[in-house]
Amino acid sequence: MDPLSITASVAGLITLAGVIISKGFQISDRFINTDKELKSLLNEVSSFSGLLVGVQAHFEQPQASAPFSIYSLNLPRPSGRGQSPTTPTEHLYTALNDCKSILEDVKKLVEKISITPSFQLVLRREVFLKEAVKHAAKLERYKSFFILAFQINSWYEPLNYTLVNVGSR
């Protein structure tokens, strides 16, 4: 997966997050006093979207590559392949697919809440809120993953340069 494909994938996730945020805040008034779980999920999607803008900006730079530290995440196999990811780009691709799946699930939840009649909403409130908490936790993990991967990468490049120069003396 080249940087342009990664940028396009991230742009799609940013758009999906925007749809969720917009629809989510439209329906937030349907909950009495807007439950903190729903607000937390919408805030998590919003901050995750901001992080994705940073990821997108990284890959729009010339000579961009996936951070080597993406190796550290023990990700499941990419769908349709027989082996586990072996390069940082494959790991990144798998992480982006997982994020897309999570955001699609959040979108379904928000849409489900938006079409549920008010009287049923009261009855199903706990189910919706448990699902919101689960999705918020998944997004938080991926936020941490991306932040750490790029932070470690930013430390690695100057360190590697220094070690190469020391070794050449």
Side-chain angles (χ1 to χ4, degrees), residues 11-165:
L13 293 178
I14 292 168
T15 301
L16 182 56
V19 168
I20 292 166
I21 294 164
S22 175
K23 187 74 169 181
F25 283 112
Q26 287 174 5
I27 65 157
S28 65
D29 63 341
R30 294 194 67 202
F31 280 90
I32 299 169
N33 298 326
T34 311
D35 289 294
K36 67 179 180 178
E37 291 87 351
L38 182 60
K39 275 187 176 178
S40 175
L41 176 60
L42 295 176
N43 288 335
E44 202 61 52
V45 170
S46 180
S47 64
F48 187 69
S49 175
L51 178 68
L52 289 173
V53 169
V55 171
Q56 183 181 29
H58 171 80
F59 285 100
E60 287 175 342
Q61 297 172 6
Q63 308 296 324
S65 64
F68 81 96
S69 53
I70 285 180
Y71 280 125
S72 63
L73 185 64
N74 186 16
L75 295 172
R77 293 181 183 156
S79 59
R81 295 189 186 184
Q83 71 264 7
S84 295
T86 56
T87 67
T89 303
E90 288 174 346
H91 280 273
L92 179 62
Y93 181 71
T94 302
L96 291 173
N97 279 339
D98 289 348
C99 292
K100 180 181 179 189
S101 176
I102 294 165
L103 289 174
E104 286 173 345
D105 288 345
V106 172
K107 183 181 176 203
K108 288 176 192 171
L109 173 65
V110 168
E111 288 172 343
K112 198 183 319 179
I113 291 170
S114 73
I115 62 170
T116 302
S118 295
F119 72 92
Q120 286 183 357
L121 199 54
V122 172
L123 298 173
R124 299 186 66 198
R125 178 180 171 272
E126 291 301 316
V127 173
F128 289 145
L129 296 180
K130 282 182 185 175
E131 205 171 327
V133 167
K134 178 181 79 172
H135 294 314
K138 288 179 183 178
L139 285 175
E140 178 62 34
R141 280 194 298 272
Y142 271 104
K143 252 180 34 185
S144 297
F145 162 69
F146 281 116
I147 289 168
L148 288 172
F150 283 95
Q151 190 173 34
I152 290 170
N153 197 59
S154 70
W155 293 336
Y156 173 77
E157 289 170 357
L159 178 63
N160 189 40
Y161 177 78
T162 303
L163 292 174
V164 167
N165 287 336

